[in-house]
Structure formats: C-alpha cells, structure tokens
Amino acid sequence: MDKNIAVLTSGTDAPGMNAAIRAVVRTILSNGSRVWGVYDGYRGLVDDNMEELSSISVADIIQRGGTFLGTSFCKRWYTKEGRQTAYENLKKRDIDALIVIGGDGSLRGAEEFARETGFPVIGIPATIENDIWGTDYAIGCDTAANTILEAINKIRDTAAAHHRIFILEVMGNKYGWLATYTAVAGGGNMVIVPDDEYDQEKVVAQAKKLHDEGKTYLVILASEGVGDMQSLAKELQEKTGVSTRLTTLGLVQRGGSPTANDRVFASILGEQAALAAISGLYGIVFGLDRGKIVSVDLRDAVTNKKVYPEDLKHLAEIISY
C-alpha cells in the first residue's frame, strides 16, 4: 500500500543532513510512496509548514552543508499542546510515519512525541559530537573532525615556529569524542574531556613534564564542556614559562561541504530509515556498529549514555610523545 512519509531535520545542523534527506526522499519515491518535507524542524510540524517533495526537490544538495529543510528550536514543541497540534497536522495529511534527523535533544523530542501520541517515528542520528548511544557514527561527525584536523595542522605550524603551547577548544559539551578522535589524527599532545574529572594542576604538571623532556611546543585538545580554558592557558604560561594561546573553533565546526564518509553513511542511513517507514517499522534509530548497519530502540538511544572511548584516549596519550 502506498504511504505518506514525512521527514524533518531538527536541532543543530550537521554536514550530511542534506545527503540523508535526499536518500530518504528518493528511496520513498522509488517505492511508489509519497514524501513530505517539514520545514524548520519541529516548528514546522506545529505550524503545519510542510510540502510534498519530488526527486527534483532534492537535486543539487548532497554537496551542501546545513539542511535545505531548515532547523530550529521550538518552545511550543516542548508543551503537550504543541505536540498535539503537530500530531493533528500530520494526521490531516494522512501521513503514516515521521523520520527525524537530529541529535540527542531531537531524538528525545521524537521519543516523547511517539510515546505520547503513538505516532510512528524513525530516527537518524545527526550530530557532530557523535554522542548518540548505540551507534559508532552520527551524521556530521566526520566532516567536523576534518575541520578540526585542518585547524590542528595550521596551529602546529605556528606552535612549532614560536615554541608555544596551544590549547584548541572544540565542541563536546558532555562527550569528548571530537577532541579525542582529532588528537589521535592530528598528533595532539594532550586531551581534556568532560568525561573525566578535570584537574587543572595535573594538566599543568603533565605539560611541564613534556616540555622538560624536550617538547619544544605542545598542542592540547580540549572539549568545550570541561571548564575555563582561558584560566588554564594563563596558568600554563605562568608555570612553564612558555607562551600559551587558546583558540576556540566554535561554530565553524558545524559548517562546510560534507566529506565522502558523511555523504555515503548519511545516504545509507537515510535509505534504511525510508525502507523501515514504508515497511511499518518504527520506534527505532538507525546507526553503524563497526561498519555494519544497526537499529536500536529509540527509547534506549535517548536514555542510555554513550561510553567514552577510553582506548582511543589511551592511544592518543601513548603516541603523543
């Protein structure tokens, strides 16, 4: 039976969202069903801002960062009345299922909506922080990591030339995957993440030890959720006598044309979510586990905390000397 499927992107944007939307739309159309694009995330559901999409609607978007459907943070969505309005808007268009592409907050909203209304929902993880439980990969994390890596390469040139310590603060409010992953890839000398108890004196002592052992410059990767890195930079300079600088990458990490990995993996997850919606499977999130496609329960994905990759941090520490 032909179905009507809606798709939206929610929360913060992530490179590769457009690739996922494109795969969702074209997979649904190729199976003889109809697909609706919801504009500006959950706000679009509440405002009934959606339209039917065609194959042409998603042409020339796979190489673009961001999301052509738009995204937002909608206060009304966090009220029962707002979610009920969204439900009624979906039902009046005879929409059978909703595909939500987003991060932890977006998937939490999707889970609450599904639990409250019984509406079929399928999730696709999309967050550069890669903090969704049950999947090794979230859309956008590879592009963000490569953006950080480019910054590390440039900062190392300056650090080496001036014999300085650089602290590079990257995104990761609660989960330190980005800092850890890019420390390994970029040769970072130390990693500071919110997953560990932060001890500023210990960090200073380790930096001084590395400098005393012959390191003429240091690059330290720090997640934004750790604490006051300006204070750390000041103390490092005072205790080591080495000129220390803090660089905060900020929102530049979210933008840019997605990498090949983000385009391909987002397309794979988009196809799987579309096929699930058509088949009547819902209440799940699709992801990747050691390269294989997996589906996890939506509630599990939002209630379990992803385990920090201690082995990756250990590797970063070993090969940084």
Side-chain angles (χ1 to χ4, degrees), residues 234-307:
K234 182 179 179 181
E235 186 172 357
L236 278 170
Q237 183 162 312
E238 290 175 353
K239 295 290 178 65
T240 65
V242 179
S243 177
T244 303
R245 298 288 185 272
L246 169 65
T247 299
T248 302
L249 286 188
L251 296 180
V252 70
Q253 294 162 89
R254 286 193 197 153
S257 181
T259 60
N261 277 342
D262 273 329
R263 298 184 197 196
V264 172
F265 293 151
S267 297
I268 290 171
L269 298 184
E271 179 197 32
Q272 292 300 310
L275 292 174
I278 293 167
S279 302
L281 301 174
Y282 53 88
I284 52 178
V285 176
F286 282 96
L288 295 173
D289 181 9
R290 288 169 285 188
K292 295 182 178 180
I293 300 166
V294 294
S295 63
V296 299
D297 183 83
L298 175 58
R299 182 159 180 76
D300 287 343
V302 300
T303 56
N304 291 318
K305 182 179 180 181
K306 191 169 182 177
V307 177

Side-chain angles (χ1 to χ4, degrees), residues 163-165 190 201 203-212 215 218 220 232-245:
H163 309 298
R164 286 176 175 168
I165 298 174
M190 296 175 65
E201 292 303 317
V203 173
V204 172
Q206 178 65 9
K208 190 174 187 307
K209 178 176 180 291
L210 290 172
H211 181 261
D212 292 343
K215 284 286 187 181
L218 297 175
I220 300 171
L232 173 61
K234 182 179 179 181
E235 186 172 357
L236 278 170
Q237 183 162 312
E238 290 175 353
K239 295 290 178 65
T240 65
V242 179
S243 177
T244 303
R245 298 288 185 272

